[in-house]
Amino acid sequence: MIQAILVFNNHGKPRLVRFYQHFVFVETLDKCFENVCELDLIFHMDKVHYILQEVVMGGMVLETNMNEIVAQIEAQNRLEKSEGGLSAAPARAVSAVKNINLPEIPRNINIGDLNIKVPNLSQFV
Amino acid sequence: MALKMVKGSIDRMFDKNLQDLVRGIRNHKEDEAKYISQCIDEIKQELKQDNIAVKANAVCKLTYLQMLGYDISWAAFNIIEVMSASKFTFKRIGYLAASQSFHEGTDVIMLTTNQIRKDLSSPSQYDTGVALTGLSCFVTPDLARDLANDIMTLMSHTKPYIRKKAVLIMYKVFLKYPESLRPAFPRLKEKLEDPDPGVQSAAVNVICELARRNPKNYLSLAPLFFKLMTSSTNNWVLIKIIKLFGALTPLEPRLGKKLIEPLTNLIHSTSAMSLLYECVNTVIAVLISLSSGMPNHSASIQLCVQKLRILIEDSDQNLKYLGLLAMSKILKTHPKSVQSHKDLILQCLDDKDESIRLRALDLLYGMVSKKNLMEIVKKLMTHVDKAEGTTYRDELLTKIIDICSQSNYQHITNFEWYISILVELTRLEGTRHGHLIAAQMLDVAIRVKAIRKFAVSQMSTLLDNAHLVASSTQRNGICEVLYAATWICGEFSEHLQEPQHTLEAMLRPKVTTLPGHIQAVYVQNVVKLYASILQQKEQAAETEAAQAVTQLMIDRLPQFVQSADLEVQERASCILQLVKHVQKLQAKAVPVAEEVSALFAGELNPVAPKAQKKVPVPEGLDLDAWINEPLSDSESEDEKPKAMFHEEEQRQAKHRLPEVDEEELARRREARKQEQANNPFYIKSSPSPQKRYQDSPGVEHIPVVQIDLSVPLKVPGLPLSDQYVRLEEERRHRQRLEKDKRRKKRRDKEKKGKRRHGSLPTESDEDIAPAQQVDIVTEEMPENALPSDEDDKDPNDPYRALDIDLDKPLADSEKLPVQKHRNAENSKSPEKEDVPVVEKKSKKPKKKEKKHKEKEREKEKKKEKERKGEDLDFWLSTTPPPAPRAPHPGSLQDTLSVNTHTDTAPKDEVVEPRREAQDEEDEDQDQEKKPSKHKKKHKKEKEERPKDKKRSRKKLLGSEEAPGEPVQNGALEEGPLPPMSSYSLLAENSYIKMTYGIQGSLQDSQVTVSIILENLSGSVLKSMELSVLDSLNTRMARPEGSSVHDGVPVPFQLPPGVSNEAQFVFTVQSIVMAQKLKGTLSFIAKDDEGATHEKLDFKLHFSCSSYLTTTPCYSDAFAKLLESGDLSMSSIRVDGISMSFQNLLTKICFHHHFSVVERVDSCASMYSRSIQGHHICLLVKKGENSVSVDGKCSDATLLSNVLEEMKATLATC
């Protein structure tokens, strides 16, 4: 029974993975996040959980075939996207904006005669 | 509306999402707590809003905070709200939060039952999946009980994704609700052979997890697992199976023989270290379980050791550790094969990882021999010097001592060397194990006479340098060695070179800084030393020197008299007075040495620690009886043994024979031992006799323990000469024995003692225990195997409840309606047909007997077990008969029975009747079972009417005893109904039989049709496809992209005699009328001769009742509903009812999906709800022979149709 999973960052060589070569959690994370790094895990705790839930369920190994796991996760993501539809679009836009490094955006944008004042979005941060 | 939505989503823009929260927390490192409490306030605001998206976002953030350790139990209800969202996105968030934060104590968890049930039957596989995943984390006994059936249905879902999750979660359900194990087990077992590898792996996982705890119940699955092991390529599955076999082999040694070969192959072929390790582990378990006598043992052991060497040589610390761990298991049974890898183990001592060094140390313990002991200890000593950290150094120290002293110093050939090692060890700073070294010094010095001289010289040096030892901080334990050193110098003072010098060393003022108990020993031994010096001086007539010594004593002793320690003070003042007295006598030139020495006359001899226990109580001696009249409490302890001895001797004297035989001798020896044991001056067991011979040649007084003259001599009133004669005889006898080889010695003793079979070869004479058995359970079981004895189990062990005999047929009371039904279906495989035919059945074993003669020679118990296994298969016939059966009688049993060939013939006769008895029993059981099944079947056919074609979700409510719903269907009365089935025949031809049940789902007006397909032919049925002609009202849900005319493939194949269940979802527009849909099942039947394409037409009947779902309703809500008045009414009346009211209600509940709201005498109100939300209320009244049903419903047509259907049902009652 698996009670917890420790993900070591041991210079890219998690110890557990070496023993349980067929235990594919880290590799799956890598695939789903495209080169996973610890920040991915910190900021997307929920997604990590969803991935883990496809690998381990209630402390028992559910699936060891990485392709299967990735396929299921992608299918669920697609489902989530399709559900989001129109109403989710603004939220996505906002979160995209929030993820931009705000201080680097110029406060005022001048294009010819147009003068656009960029709202101060840093309050969200 | 649209505006509101847009506004809602604009609002959302201003809420923090999870990423914002994480970022915020990272940006507020200094005032994190404050920031989080502010966030929690915001979250609380968000949770108050109606917008589910906002709520979900809030719950998502809470999940993160929960991970950080904040309590979010206050939001449990909100989590449930989010769980019940219709969108997958939110549902998933809710279930994640629930899985993270819900536990058994969460009170709102009971509110989730219906929500989860709804999600489980959702048409979207991901809704179901997410519910299963969540449930696996927070399942409670209540949830497990209420949902067990739903989950069991999902085990046969069309989607492997759902199947595997359902299979896996069953383990959690079993843990919480053990009663579900037996009904669910057949289906679980079936999943071991699921076409989808994921499902298969899940089933293996669950069964292995179950079997690991209670292996004996799963022995009958061994052939199946064996087949999986040889065929599977999934390493995870392999590991699980191999571990399971590791647990099974101790229970069934013959299994081991079968396993060795495939395991060896795996060891050779696999590249996965984990698999390799597990294989090696199981091979070790197998070899342990097998009695020696397998010729190819050594080959397997060699292979294991070689592979372990590879593990140990690996750079990965984890592998190294595991390798060493497994090696130590081999060491226990096959020390020789490990010893050849001594170099490797010694290398591991240099490892930087402490845990690996400790493992290596453990191994070394078993690897030493006379030859290599010194070398190994030398190596260890260098490590002691190098070792950093006292823990490891202490560990090294204890290991050195353990290694040297093991089995009575068996491996030590030179005790001088050992003493010097001990002295070297005293130089260790800061060790806690001073007392260990001290104990060793004492032990060796006392037990090895020849070494005393050397020991004393070493100890005096040690005392001389006591400041070195004592100078290191007061609290360290190493000064304990001074205790030993002082005692040895005092006790064996005659060996001292310069006693005066040592005496001075012992009287140094520094000594008073030592702990009290050591000072006390100092004081006592100073006197011993003083006595011996005095004697020397007087013999040499150096009166002045003698007086000088006395003066020295008088000068130095007062420092002890002032000691704060009572013991020291008391002894010192006594002795000071004594010495002062001596001084007076000396002044008068009276020789005192003799008298002072007399204080310490006699020698102390070691006695085995358990000697007393080992002595059997002589016949006729009642130790509890008073020997004399009760004595006062003040009676001193050592009077008793004397009295006992006295008594004993007298008794012997009466019975004395002219010639003293061996038994008599042994008894007397034991009597003496007993006395020694009672003598407080005896300390320890003696070293192994051989050793003492080497070390003390020519010493007259040889084996100290067995022959002790001093005590018997002191016994008053006995003829001494007799004692001498006896002792002399005995001693000679002993000598003879000891010169013999050890084994012979043991045999000899068995003759005398007759109770010494179990003693190990390494045991010394004193340690021989009465009939010790090697305890396989605790010592030789593999890692995870629990002993199967009940008393060894922890009563709180959650797995204990799962120790259920799975081979026993299910009793009716155990079956949950749906399972029962399935079993009935299954039982109709061709094999089953001959069950009722008694002759056929009883012939069967005979045929087998002819075929497999060896089998009969197996032990009867084994046979029963095997038969049980067969019965299980037979009874269930859930597995395709040819495949899994093949290993059963053929390969496994045959090979297993090879070693039993030599059994004698009479056994057959014993076995035979037993076997028949067993058969009869089976038949009885079968007959008992059979009628009920038939009944069921008949009933099913009889009831082939529209009304009955529903499948109740509330199966529990049916014929079972009290399920957990608060509103009970009056299940209080006894008189259970015959089992009911909601499945009815759909179509049948010579190839296949289809039965189906319909289940409504509250979502999107959908119903799920479960069709059980049963192969009646001898061919394999494959490429099954179900096509249904949709009506305007009812459509079949098809995979995306397929057209209306496409069929839906059935996701499995059917080998002959097998049945399986497929589920199809239909969407319904209007539910007020019953409907019929035409459809066709097409399939390819393939047998040896070829394949044919076949079709079977059918008509699916959707009754109105199948659109109803059992929904509990409380009486107040029910009353309100009736009062609301917008319900139309209708009623029916059926005459000629003989069934009890209770059973009647149960029937309505089961077939029409109602639940009982309230019941008063022969009147009950019932409620149900359609999948489109119509409420249906019923009032059922029972008259003499009639029943009237009044119904109210929001839709009149629906009501009248339902009532019509109900009428038909009741008419059959």
Side-chain angles (χ1 to χ4, degrees):
Chain A
M1 178 116 344
I2 295 168
Q3 302 284 358
I5 290 185
L6 286 175
V7 182
F8 290 90
N9 189 351
N10 187 9
H11 300 286
K13 272 193 280 176
R15 273 180 156 199
L16 271 178
V17 178
R18 178 101 189 244
F19 180 52
Y20 287 107
Q21 278 164 351
H22 36 78
F23 188 70
V24 288
F25 182 49
V26 175
E27 280 135 89
T28 312
L29 284 179
D30 206 47
K31 269 207 173 173
C32 294
F33 282 106
E34 284 157 14
N35 279 327
V36 67
C37 69
E38 48 288 37
L39 279 182
D40 287 325
L41 305 189
I42 293 168
F43 280 100
H44 301 280
M45 177 275 292
D46 48 344
K47 294 201 177 63
V48 176
H49 269 291
Y50 299 143
I51 295 169
L52 181 58
Q53 282 174 351
E54 294 301 323
V55 185
V56 178
M57 192 179 112
M60 286 187 292
V61 173
L62 177 68
E63 182 61 68
T64 51
N65 178 350
M66 183 159 60
N67 294 332
E68 171 74 14
I69 298 168
V70 173
Q72 296 297 352
I73 288 171
E74 277 168 2
Q76 291 180 43
N77 289 344
R78 271 200 304 277
L79 178 60
E80 195 173 303
K81 226 171 221 175
S82 71
E83 278 182 350
L86 199 72
S87 62
R92 277 208 298 277
V94 168
S95 91
V97 171
K98 283 174 188 170
N99 285 327
I100 299 171
N101 196 352
L102 291 168
E104 283 171 19
I105 301 175
R107 285 277 157 255
N108 289 301
I109 301 169
N110 292 306
I111 309 164
D113 298 338
L114 284 171
N115 187 350
I116 302 166
K117 185 117 180 144
V118 176
N120 185 9
L121 285 169
S122 55
Q123 54 166 321
F124 302 125
V125 180
Chain B
M1 181 64 198
L3 196 70
K4 202 179 164 193
M5 245 176 77
V6 171
K7 190 177 172 295
S9 49
I10 287 174
D11 283 345
R12 281 178 57 193
M13 288 166 61
F14 294 97
D15 295 334
K16 283 195 192 75
N17 65 14
L18 176 65
Q19 281 77 38
D20 298 329
L21 177 76
V22 177
R23 201 174 293 130
I25 293 174
R26 286 163 71 86
N27 287 342
H28 290 77
K29 287 230 165 72
E30 314 80 44
D31 52 347
E32 193 181 292
K34 194 177 147 217
Y35 179 77
I36 287 179
S37 72
Q38 188 190 324
C39 287
I40 289 181
D41 287 342
E42 281 171 25
I43 289 170
K44 281 182 178 161
Q45 288 306 314
E46 285 165 29
L47 286 177
K48 278 179 195 152
Q49 294 187 34
D50 286 335
N51 190 330
I52 190 72
V54 177
K55 270 187 190 161
N57 183 41
V59 165
C60 185
K61 287 188 281 182
L62 279 177
T63 313
Y64 184 81
L65 293 178
Q66 193 270 346
M67 192 181 79
L68 295 184
Y70 291 86
D71 174 38
I72 64 161
S73 55
W74 50 270
F77 191 76
N78 302 101
I79 291 173
I80 293 180
E81 278 181 312
V82 176
M83 276 162 73
S84 54
S86 58
K87 277 187 180 165
F88 172 72
T89 318
F90 306 138
K91 198 181 279 298
R92 178 151 86 156
I93 292 172
Y95 271 103
L96 174 63
S99 68
Q100 294 298 100
S101 64
F102 283 11
H103 50 85
E104 293 227 348
T106 308
D107 42 5
V108 289
I109 218 165
M110 52 187 257
L111 300 178
T112 59
T113 316
N114 277 324
Q115 178 57 42
I116 295 170
R117 180 173 287 140
K118 201 177 116 187
D119 287 335
L120 289 183
S121 54
S122 156
S124 157
Q125 61 167 330
Y126 293 112
D127 282 356
T128 314
V130 94
L132 284 172
T133 308
L135 186 62
S136 73
C137 294
F138 57 78
V139 61
T140 62
D142 284 344
L143 282 176
R145 187 193 55 218
D146 295 346
L147 296 172
N149 267 316
D150 302 71
I151 298 170
M152 235 171 327
T153 318
L154 291 178
M155 281 166 76
S156 321
H157 199 273
T158 50
K159 300 258 177 26
Y161 179 74
I162 299 301
R163 285 210 300 280
K164 71 182 177 195
K165 287 197 169 194
V167 167
L168 210 51
I169 201 179
M170 278 320 280
Y171 179 63
K172 292 291 186 144
V173 173
F174 296 152
L175 279 184
K176 300 288 178 189
Y177 181 53
E179 288 87 336
S180 60
L181 176 57
R182 279 170 47 76
F185 194 71
R187 196 177 290 197
L188 186 61
K189 201 173 136 194
E190 188 181 315
K191 294 295 155 205
L192 283 175
E193 296 182 289
D194 196 279
D196 183 86
V199 181
Q200 205 180 40
S201 143
V204 169
N205 254 338
V206 172
I207 294 186
C208 287
E209 203 65 40
L210 290 168
R212 208 160 67 88
R213 308 293 176 170
N214 303 299
K216 67 175 187 311
N217 298 340
Y218 299 85
L219 260 178
S220 60
L221 288 181
L224 193 54
F225 277 118
F226 188 80
K227 191 180 140 230
L228 278 175
M229 184 177 82
T230 44
S231 59
S232 176
T233 51
N234 181 337
N235 278 350
W236 183 257
V237 169
L238 282 175
I239 286 182
K240 284 275 169 189
I241 295 175
I242 288 167
K243 276 186 142 175
L244 173 65
F245 275 132
L248 288 180
T249 42
L251 305 172
E252 176 53 282
R254 291 171 305 159
L255 186 61
K257 289 191 182 145
K258 180 84 182 148
L259 285 172
I260 287 278
E261 198 202 325
L263 284 179
T264 322
N265 291 342
L266 270 176
I267 292 176
H268 275 301
S269 61
T270 187
S271 59
M273 286 300 188
S274 46
L275 183 57
L276 175 67
Y277 175 73
E278 294 302 344
C279 287
V280 169
N281 237 347
T282 300
V283 168
I284 296 169
V286 165
L287 293 181
I288 288 172
S289 75
L290 289 177
S291 49
S292 61
M294 278 269 285
N296 52 351
H297 256 185
S298 51
S300 325
I301 280 288
Q302 278 312 320
L303 179 67
C304 288
V305 175
Q306 273 166 25
K307 289 288 176 179
L308 288 179
R309 192 179 168 104
I310 296 175
L311 284 185
I312 297 172
E313 279 169 343
D314 198 284
S315 60
D316 187 316
Q317 302 293 331
N318 297 311
L319 294 184
K320 234 190 219 340
Y321 185 88
L322 289 171
L324 291 169
L325 195 68
M327 203 67 120
S328 64
K329 283 182 196 158
I330 298 185
L331 185 72
K332 278 178 202 146
T333 47
H334 301 81
K336 285 233 171 73
S337 13
V338 182
Q339 266 163 12
S340 55
H341 296 277
K342 197 186 72 198
D343 55 320
L344 188 64
I345 312 292
L346 285 174
Q347 266 175 35
C348 289
L349 283 181
D350 297 320
D351 201 284
K352 59 182 189 300
D353 190 331
E354 188 173 311
S355 49
I356 286 177
R357 292 196 304 249
L358 291 176
R359 277 271 147 246
L361 274 180
D362 280 348
L363 271 173
L364 277 181
Y365 178 81
M367 287 173 61
V368 286
S369 64
K370 275 181 198 161
K371 276 184 198 162
N372 62 17
L373 174 74
M374 286 187 170
E375 182 198 344
I376 287 179
V377 172
K378 191 178 159 202
K379 176 101 182 167
L380 289 178
M381 290 300 284
T382 60
H383 280 282
V384 171
D385 289 340
K386 281 190 287 179
E388 302 148 9
T390 49
T391 335
Y392 178 58
R393 210 161 47 180
D394 281 355
E395 191 59 34
L396 270 174
L397 193 154
T398 44
K399 269 286 152 1
I400 291 176
I401 291 179
D402 280 354
I403 287 173
C404 292
S405 63
Q406 66 173 311
S407 12
N408 252 326
Y409 307 101
Q410 191 190 353
H411 302 299
I412 295 185
T413 49
N414 185 344
F415 276 91
E416 292 190 8
W417 164 82
Y418 186 44
I419 294 275
S420 50
I421 289 288
L422 288 175
V423 173
E424 267 179 59
L425 286 176
T426 62
R427 315 249 156 84
L428 273 187
E429 268 176 47
T431 177
R432 289 180 294 112
H433 294 302
H435 61 277
L436 254 182
I437 305 177
Q440 283 293 300
M441 286 173 168
L442 288 171
D443 199 36
V444 173
I446 294 169
R447 289 167 57 176
V448 188
K449 275 202 152 190
I451 202 66
R452 286 183 189 163
K453 196 168 160 62
F454 180 78
V456 166
S457 72
Q458 290 288 307
M459 293 305 124
S460 63
T461 327
L462 196 62
L463 282 181
D464 221 11
N465 300 321
H467 55 280
L468 289 179
V469 177
S471 66
S472 36
T473 51
Q474 193 61 260
R475 63 193 150 75
N476 87 42
I478 200 67
C479 56
E480 289 287 336
V481 297
L482 293 176
Y483 177 99
T486 322
W487 191 87
I488 292 170
C489 287
E491 185 66 24
F492 307 119
S493 49
E494 68 270 17
H495 299 296
L496 271 176
Q497 300 282 334
E498 303 171 62
Q500 186 109 27
H501 184 71
T502 310
L503 182 69
E504 274 165 36
M506 281 163 79
L507 286 169
R508 279 187 199 135
K510 187 89 182 166
V511 172
T512 51
T513 60
L514 290 172
H517 66 283
I518 299 180
Q519 283 189 55
V521 175
Y522 261 84
V523 174
Q524 193 71 15
N525 286 286
V526 157
V527 196
K528 288 184 195 165
L529 202 50
Y530 169 67
S532 96
I533 293 174
L534 218 54
Q535 195 153 24
Q536 277 177 22
K537 300 292 177 196
E538 277 190 14
Q539 273 166 5
E542 298 172 26
T543 20
E544 275 180 26
Q547 279 173 354
V549 174
T550 312
Q551 192 53 46
L552 179 72
M553 292 284 280
I554 290 173
D555 290 346
R556 297 287 175 83
L557 275 175
Q559 64 185 341
F560 293 111
V561 176
Q562 290 157 12
S563 169
D565 191 285
L566 272 183
E567 177 83 9
V568 181
Q569 202 187 70
E570 197 178 359
R571 289 190 191 207
S573 25
C574 268
I575 288 161
L576 188 58
Q577 289 312 312
L578 179 80
V579 176
K580 278 181 180 164
H581 186 68
V582 169
Q583 199 182 26
K584 275 182 206 158
L585 291 174
Q586 275 179 334
K588 291 176 199 161
V590 181
V592 284
E594 279 302 324
E595 282 164 52
V596 177
S597 307
L599 283 174
F600 309 106
E603 197 170 349
L604 300 178
N605 292 310
V607 158
K610 290 178 205 155
Q612 170 77 70
K613 261 192 237 162
K614 312 272 160 94
V615 182
V617 179
E619 244 178 277
L621 175 65
D622 183 3
L623 286 175
D624 293 330
W626 288 106
I627 294 163
N628 301 310
E629 281 310 294
L631 299 165
S632 67
D633 287 347
S634 62
E635 186 199 20
S636 82
E637 265 182 46
D638 42 5
E639 259 172 43
K640 255 191 208 168
K642 269 181 203 160
M644 197 161 70
F645 186 80
H646 195 67
E647 171 95 299
E648 166 87 23
E649 284 303 318
Q650 280 176 340
R651 207 170 52 80
Q652 278 179 355
K654 276 182 215 156
H655 296 246
R656 190 171 296 158
L657 299 167
E659 274 178 279
V660 184
D661 63 347
E662 279 192 338
E663 268 193 49
E664 179 71 29
L665 266 182
R667 215 167 67 202
R668 288 178 193 167
R669 188 162 49 246
E670 273 157 358
R672 256 190 309 286
K673 273 199 218 163
Q674 194 174 352
E675 212 209 19
Q676 287 163 5
N678 282 324
N679 186 329
F681 295 108
Y682 288 94
I683 303 169
K684 275 264 169 173
S685 62
S686 68
S688 92
Q690 278 183 330
K691 250 335 80 46
R692 249 184 284 110
Y693 269 90
Q694 288 174 2
D695 296 324
S696 51
V699 181
E700 198 240 355
H701 187 126
I702 308 161
V704 194
V705 178
Q706 293 85 5
I707 305 152
D708 183 78
L709 282 166
S710 56
V711 179
L713 280 177
K714 281 177 194 163
V715 176
L718 266 182
L720 292 184
S721 59
D722 265 6
Q723 292 263 345
Y724 271 125
V725 171
R726 247 184 289 146
L727 287 167
E728 195 53 46
E729 271 176 9
E730 197 179 303
R731 186 190 306 160
R732 256 181 257 144
H733 183 65
R734 277 275 147 186
Q735 281 172 349
R736 202 170 356 105
L737 282 181
E738 277 154 5
K739 272 170 200 157
D740 283 349
K741 287 199 169 165
R742 195 176 290 133
R743 192 184 292 171
K744 202 179 164 196
K745 224 190 304 176
R746 211 156 31 112
R747 221 185 304 140
D748 209 35
K749 238 167 287 145
E750 266 161 37
K751 235 187 284 160
K752 286 189 286 170
K754 285 178 186 167
R755 291 148 84 254
R756 295 168 175 177
H757 315 284
S759 57
L760 295 167
T762 49
E763 271 181 320
S764 72
D765 298 352
E766 296 76 34
D767 283 343
I768 295 159
Q772 274 180 338
Q773 280 193 336
V774 181
D775 191 359
I776 295 173
V777 175
T778 52
E779 285 178 353
E780 294 183 349
M781 294 277 273
E783 205 181 358
N784 294 321
L786 281 181
S788 45
D789 287 326
E790 293 249 331
D791 25 322
D792 288 343
K793 285 191 178 174
D794 175 11
N796 298 324
D797 181 8
Y799 307 103
R800 191 184 159 98
L802 288 180
D803 188 4
I804 295 167
D805 183 6
L806 296 162
D807 295 332
K808 240 175 19 194
L810 279 176
D812 270 357
S813 62
E814 278 183 300
K815 294 181 192 174
L816 304 170
V818 165
Q819 272 68 53
K820 203 167 6 177
H821 171 76
R822 273 193 63 83
N823 288 338
E825 287 297 316
N826 291 339
S827 71
K828 278 176 50 274
S829 67
E831 278 173 311
K832 268 291 157 172
E833 303 303 317
D834 47 20
V835 174
V837 189
V838 175
E839 289 98 324
K840 233 183 184 176
K841 172 95 198 255
S842 58
K843 253 181 224 161
K844 210 178 162 188
K846 271 178 197 159
K847 228 198 280 170
K848 247 185 216 158
E849 272 161 23
K850 268 181 210 161
K851 267 189 194 166
H852 311 287
K853 280 246 167 162
E854 326 91 313
K855 220 161 103 189
E856 267 70 60
R857 303 207 169 105
E858 287 182 13
K859 280 175 188 155
E860 153 218 338
K861 207 178 168 186
K862 283 292 96 96
K863 197 176 241 168
E864 277 184 337
K865 205 180 278 176
E866 296 287 348
R867 275 197 54 77
K868 241 196 219 166
E870 276 177 88
D871 284 347
L872 188 74
D873 279 1
F874 188 71
W875 177 63
L876 294 169
S877 67
T878 46
T879 48
R885 239 152 233 253
H888 230 262
S891 51
L892 183 63
Q893 276 192 343
D894 286 1
T895 45
L896 287 184
S897 57
V898 172
N899 66 334
T900 54
H901 270 252
T902 48
D903 282 8
T904 46
K907 244 186 186 159
D908 282 11
E909 289 164 19
V910 182
V911 171
E912 197 83 34
R914 286 272 190 148
R915 196 163 220 244
E916 266 156 27
Q918 172 85 18
D919 284 344
E920 271 163 32
E921 253 176 57
D922 286 351
E923 277 149 24
D924 285 351
Q925 280 168 345
D926 281 336
Q927 271 161 356
E928 270 168 352
K929 258 182 290 163
K930 212 58 197 178
S932 75
K933 279 170 197 160
H934 279 282
K935 222 185 284 166
K936 254 183 282 168
K937 231 178 87 198
H938 288 184
K939 215 175 129 212
K940 221 185 304 151
E941 277 150 17
K942 235 193 291 168
E943 288 171 359
E944 208 172 287
R945 270 156 233 245
K947 348 242 125 143
D948 299 326
K949 296 184 182 171
K950 293 117 207 165
R951 180 160 181 202
S952 166
R953 296 157 152 248
K954 275 281 162 196
K955 285 146 276 188
L956 276 166
L957 291 180
S959 58
E960 290 306 303
E961 69 277 277
E965 291 299 322
V967 185
Q968 259 337 305
N969 292 339
L972 304 154
E973 275 175 31
E974 64 295 341
L977 271 179
M980 289 182 289
S981 165
S982 56
Y983 280 63
S984 48
L985 186 71
L986 183 60
E988 186 174 7
N989 67 7
S990 59
Y991 287 100
I992 193 162
K993 180 180 167 186
M994 299 165 77
T995 42
Y996 78 113
I998 302 174
Q999 186 182 349
S1001 108
L1002 279 174
Q1003 205 161 18
D1004 310 327
S1005 303
Q1006 286 184 336
V1007 289
T1008 308
V1009 178
S1010 310
I1011 302 182
I1012 295 177
L1013 301 156
E1014 186 185 342
N1015 188 349
L1016 303 175
S1017 69
S1019 357
V1020 177
L1021 304 185
K1022 54 186 223 175
S1023 308
M1024 287 184 278
E1025 226 177 61
L1026 193 83
S1027 27
V1028 175
L1029 283 175
D1030 291 353
S1031 70
L1032 278 176
N1033 193 28
T1034 312
R1035 294 165 194 278
M1036 178 150 81
R1038 295 182 169 82
E1040 264 176 68
S1042 51
S1043 85
V1044 216
H1045 305 292
D1046 288 344
V1048 175
V1050 178
F1052 47 78
Q1053 298 186 356
L1054 286 179
V1058 171
S1059 64
N1060 205 339
E1061 183 177 301
Q1063 292 185 326
F1064 304 92
V1065 175
F1066 288 79
T1067 319
V1068 191
Q1069 300 254 300
S1070 157
I1071 59 156
V1072 296
M1073 302 274 280
Q1075 337 234 347
K1076 276 184 184 165
L1077 285 189
K1078 278 186 184 171
T1080 313
L1081 178 81
S1082 62
F1083 54 90
I1084 296 174
K1086 195 182 167 191
D1087 54 16
D1088 298 341
E1089 286 136 36
T1092 50
H1093 199 265
E1094 298 289 339
K1095 274 187 177 178
L1096 178 59
D1097 293 330
F1098 58 83
K1099 249 184 207 173
L1100 265 176
H1101 187 108
F1102 294 87
S1103 65
C1104 284
S1105 301
S1106 61
Y1107 300 133
L1108 303 184
T1109 56
T1110 313
T1111 320
C1113 180
Y1114 294 95
S1115 47
D1116 45 351
F1118 188 76
K1120 259 184 206 157
L1121 199 63
L1122 289 178
E1123 280 163 14
S1124 65
D1126 42 336
L1127 302 180
S1128 48
M1129 195 176 151
S1130 173
S1131 53
I1132 53 162
R1133 184 185 164 86
V1134 186
D1135 288 323
I1137 305 261
S1138 54
M1139 194 179 259
S1140 78
F1141 190 51
Q1142 165 63 39
N1143 289 350
L1144 205 74
L1145 291 181
T1146 314
K1147 258 200 146 168
I1148 295 176
C1149 288
F1150 184 74
H1151 290 295
H1152 301 281
H1153 308 170
F1154 277 86
S1155 61
V1156 174
V1157 179
E1158 222 171 0
R1159 183 183 159 189
V1160 184
D1161 299 329
S1162 56
C1163 186
S1165 49
M1166 305 179 88
Y1167 174 81
S1168 183
R1169 204 177 150 193
S1170 79
I1171 57 174
Q1172 290 178 349
H1174 304 94
H1175 304 283
I1176 305 186
C1177 310
L1178 294 183
L1179 184 66
V1180 185
K1181 282 182 242 163
K1182 181 154 189 328
E1184 274 293 292
N1185 279 318
S1186 66
V1187 172
S1188 68
V1189 181
D1190 300 312
K1192 277 192 171 183
C1193 176
S1194 36
D1195 187 295
T1197 334
L1198 178 66
L1199 178 64
S1200 61
N1201 282 323
V1202 168
L1203 287 180
E1204 275 311 302
E1205 288 169 10
M1206 203 171 288
K1207 198 171 178 179
T1209 312
L1210 295 175
T1212 66
C1213 294

